[in-house]
Amino acid sequence: GDIRKKQLVGGWRAGSFCVLFAALFFSPSAARACSTCRCGDPTLTLQGMEKPYENRIRLSTEILYRTETFGTAGVDEEEITEGRLHVGVAWTPSEYFSLGFLLPVVTKELEETSGARDEGTGLGDVEFSGKIYLFRDSPASPRHMAGILAGLRVPSAPEVESGGVPLTVDAQPGQGQWVPSAGAWYGYYNFPFLAYASVQGLFPSGTGFEQLDAGEALVGTLTGQYAFNYKFAVQLGLDSRWTQKNEFGGTPDPDSGGSLLALAPGVTWSPVEDLLVSVSGQIPVAKNLNGEQDEGPSVLGGIIYDL
């Protein structure tokens, strides 16, 4: 009944706030975002931020577009244009945990100052995720819930070549590394208001393409949602990311990593029961990136259907 209706406007990857405070945000160390992680909680479309219900199966599709530049303008600057299509399925076998699987299809174009271009298109690294619901203040209709998050990105993407030569890692659909992750989340539910916060650490392991050793990362989300009714809601929050520097063959990449904070507005619409359509954006508002690099706004659109 009422709880079920609230889920119709609460289960979207609402663009959000990072729970990284000023001391962390302005730390001087820093990974190229395209190689390691995106800004904010990457699991929200698939896992949702709403209350769970037993035996839910969620199908999701999302499209992401973003740009990034690094290097010295007019000398060795390179620009990455990235498009991602994510197809996912999540299953909630009980009200205490859910499991997810995400398959990305990625296209990247890398353009150098000289005009040379590299383009890599193909399957990205698949991702597994889990969400555990450890605390609720009321068994029947909780207003406060909290738990833990865990995930694993698997180096499943094949290395893309051009003319028999592998493309640079920044043009690859995958990065060739195992990336386990772990974190915590909190949700507040008081219709028509909803708030959600999460923080996760990402820990790349092994050596990836082009001898990449991506830096560890911390990503966070804090978002608020207001539902005008059971069909339409708006969100506003912040996403953040902090990463250590990447290394290539043991040599640190000076133009990688750092801290980023982005404003994340969005809207969600439910045209029919169990179907959600969402559009959101990420607009960088504070940057403390290492070396010569910059990240532009990104746009995310998604469709979710709950069985």
Side-chain angles (χ1 to χ4, degrees):
D2 193 36
I3 293 177
R4 174 65 172 150
K5 289 180 180 178
K6 292 178 188 179
Q7 290 172 333
L8 295 178
V9 293
W12 164 76
R13 183 229 180 270
S16 33
F17 181 103
C18 191
V19 190
L20 305 178
F21 300 102
L24 175 61
F25 180 77
F26 291 103
S27 169
S29 64
R32 283 178 193 158
C34 59
S35 298
T36 310
C37 61
R38 299 183 299 278
C39 187
D41 188 335
T43 67
L44 280 184
T45 297
L46 184 61
Q47 293 288 355
M49 61 180 184
E50 77 282 7
K51 298 176 184 179
Y53 63 90
E54 190 172 351
N55 289 324
R56 182 193 74 182
I57 297 177
R58 162 163 291 174
L59 306 177
S60 68
T61 301
E62 62 180 356
I63 298 176
L64 171 70
Y65 174 85
R66 60 178 293 275
T67 61
E68 180 183 17
T69 60
F70 53 91
T72 304
V75 180
D76 60 353
E77 185 179 63
E78 297 181 340
E79 180 178 4
I80 297 172
T81 302
E82 179 179 5
R84 303 179 69 93
L85 170 66
H86 294 161
V87 179
V89 58
W91 175 43
T92 305
S94 80
E95 293 185 354
Y96 297 99
F97 70 96
S98 61
L99 304 171
F101 172 79
L102 191 70
L103 175 66
V105 179
V106 183
T107 181
K108 289 184 180 179
E109 183 178 86
L110 178 65
E111 183 176 1
E112 301 178 5
T113 300
S114 64
R117 295 172 181 261
D118 275 336
E119 184 173 340
T121 299
L123 295 177
D125 296 328
V126 300
E127 300 181 31
F128 298 91
S129 61
K131 186 174 185 179
I132 300 177
Y133 304 83
L134 293 178
F135 169 80
R136 62 189 73 200
D137 63 339
S138 168
S141 184
R143 286 197 175 182
H144 302 273
M145 297 185 69
I148 59 176
L149 300 165
L152 179 64
R153 188 183 308 164
V154 178
S156 57
E159 190 170 25
V160 177
E161 298 182 350
S162 177
V165 179
L167 299 179
T168 176
V169 68
D170 290 303
Q172 293 287 345
Q175 72 184 65
Q177 286 188 286
W178 296 87
V179 186
S181 61
W185 66 274
Y186 163 78
Y188 171 73
Y189 309 90
N190 187 15
F191 190 81
F193 298 101
L194 184 153
Y196 181 88
S198 72
V199 61
Q200 296 180 66
L202 292 87
F203 311 99
S205 176
T207 301
F209 300 141
E210 206 176 336
Q211 295 186 300
L212 169 67
D213 182 8
E216 295 183 354
L218 189 64
V219 296
T221 280
L222 173 62
T223 189
Q225 173 178 283
Y226 177 79
F228 293 96
N229 49 49
Y230 292 123
K231 288 185 173 293
F232 185 76
V234 295
Q235 298 87 13
L236 182 63
L238 292 169
D239 288 338
S240 68
R241 180 188 72 236
W242 170 86
T243 54
Q244 296 176 326
K245 289 183 179 179
N246 290 338
E247 293 186 0
F248 290 90
T251 302
D253 178 2
D255 300 325
S256 68
S259 302
L260 178 69
L261 187 68
L263 185 68
V267 297
T268 301
W269 173 49
S270 178
V272 296
E273 187 174 355
D274 296 326
L275 179 67
L276 292 175
V277 180
S278 66
V279 178
S280 67
Q282 285 183 339
I283 306 168
V285 293
K287 304 174 186 178
N288 186 34
L289 302 173
N290 290 344
E292 299 290 340
Q293 56 168 324
D294 192 23
E295 190 156 342
S298 63
V299 179
L300 178 73
I303 299 175
I304 293 171
Y305 185 72
D306 287 339
L307 301 175

